[in-house]
Amino acid sequence: MLDPLRQGLLSRMGIQEWQVRRPALLGADPVHTPMPGTAEAAASSQPSPYLADPLPATQRSHAKHALPAGRLWIVADRLPALPLLADVCLLLGFSPQEVSLVPSLVPGMVTPLLWLEEVDPAWPQALICPLQPSAAQKRALWQQLRQRLT
């Protein structure tokens, strides 16, 4: 558990608690990451553990059995902007911590609500919106959400 001061700083920077705890949740040893802009960060040539493969090697071989636990699955390599994600989650009635990134989907898979960047006929019920939408694309996303909620 993080102390309140650190938790407040991380939340203002847009880093959610699940991102800090993610390696520990996946069973990996916690990795010390130096703060950007420090001499320790400059000396470290290793990439951040948060930019690594979304599924660790032990889960990659069992990917058919290891499904994300989130209520909204985003099929992308990163999350959308935090304010957009927070607004979508608020409208759907859950927190941004209940969102999972999924690298790819197998057709016929049983999924919760999906967010795709492009239309895919295999997933007709998915929300379709790029991760960095224009104003018109945001309006289209809100229309999709309104139809889902009525």
Side-chain angles (χ1 to χ4, degrees):
M1 195 72 188
L2 298 174
D3 62 282
L5 177 62
R6 182 172 180 204
Q7 189 173 8
L9 288 170
L10 291 174
S11 67
R12 282 195 297 272
M13 292 181 342
I15 299 172
Q16 298 298 316
E17 185 174 340
W18 67 267
Q19 292 173 312
V20 175
R21 296 181 313 158
R22 186 169 189 267
L25 292 173
L26 295 174
D29 293 330
V31 178
H32 170 69
T33 54
M35 293 299 289
T38 63
E40 187 180 352
S44 172
S45 62
Q46 295 179 345
S48 168
Y50 304 114
L51 300 178
D53 189 21
L55 291 175
T58 56
Q59 288 184 354
R60 240 181 280 131
S61 61
H62 305 296
K64 295 177 187 172
H65 304 292
L67 297 176
R71 293 174 64 186
L72 171 64
W73 290 4
I74 299 178
V75 181
D77 57 347
R78 61 184 173 78
L79 290 172
L82 190 58
L84 175 64
L85 182 62
D87 289 343
V88 168
C89 290
L90 180 66
L91 189 61
L92 292 171
F94 51 83
S95 71
Q97 286 79 16
E98 295 179 85
V99 174
S100 296
L101 285 176
V102 181
S104 64
L105 295 172
V106 178
M109 219 173 143
V110 178
T111 63
L113 182 59
L114 287 177
W115 178 335
L116 303 175
E117 292 184 85
E118 297 176 357
V119 176
D120 187 347
W123 309 102
Q125 297 299 321
L127 298 172
I128 309 298
C129 185
L131 297 180
Q132 294 182 335
S134 66
Q137 292 166 327
K138 283 182 187 177
R139 283 191 296 275
L141 176 62
W142 298 130
Q143 290 293 326
Q144 294 173 56
L145 289 166
R146 185 180 308 153
Q147 289 173 359
R148 184 169 302 278
L149 296 173
T150 57

